[in-house]
Amino acid sequence: MSLPTRAQLAQLASELYLDSNGNPVTFAPGLFKFNLKLKDKYKNNPPLTLGHHYWDSEESSTTLANRRLFDTTVTHDTNGGNYYKSCNEHRAMCISN
């Protein structure tokens, strides 16, 4: 098991959200969108806790890493910005290989 890549977190966002008109949205690393809707099948049971940032595996140093926010109406990643791994407000998820 390992942390997901930026692309894998973007793919998860594509699975979770629709645009404000109810159309599918395809996310890529760095794509920032507001006014989103959760797909009906995830409204009551999302696969992760919304309102949090999740680390990805793409690090720039031993102390800095990237993350993506998953919230009810917005998702974005750090778009190349790095945040201290010691930040306790962010979460990690593992995916199986």
Side-chain angles (χ1 to χ4, degrees):
M1 296 185 73
S2 62
L3 289 174
T5 64
R6 285 179 76 197
Q8 288 171 317
L9 288 179
Q11 182 179 3
L12 177 57
S14 297
E15 173 60 29
L16 287 173
Y17 296 103
L18 300 169
D19 69 15
S20 59
N21 296 318
N23 300 311
V25 181
T26 300
F27 289 91
L31 187 60
F32 195 108
K33 290 276 188 176
F34 289 100
N35 300 319
L36 297 169
K37 299 177 183 180
L38 284 173
K39 290 182 179 178
D40 286 342
K41 66 181 180 179
Y42 297 120
K43 285 183 180 177
N44 294 322
N45 192 23
L48 48 80
T49 304
L50 299 174
H52 294 280
H53 293 89
Y54 288 84
W55 294 117
D56 68 38
S57 62
E58 299 177 34
E59 305 171 343
S60 63
S61 74
T62 57
T63 58
L64 299 175
N66 298 304
R67 84 262 194 297
R68 174 174 280 278
L69 170 67
F70 289 92
D71 209 343
T72 54
T73 61
V74 63
T75 185
H76 65 83
D77 70 9
T78 56
N79 199 19
N82 292 291
Y83 293 83
Y84 286 102
K85 293 178 191 177
S86 60
C87 179
N88 62 6
E89 298 172 4
H90 305 327
R91 295 182 174 202
M93 77 170 86
C94 291
I95 57 171
S96 60
N97 297 329

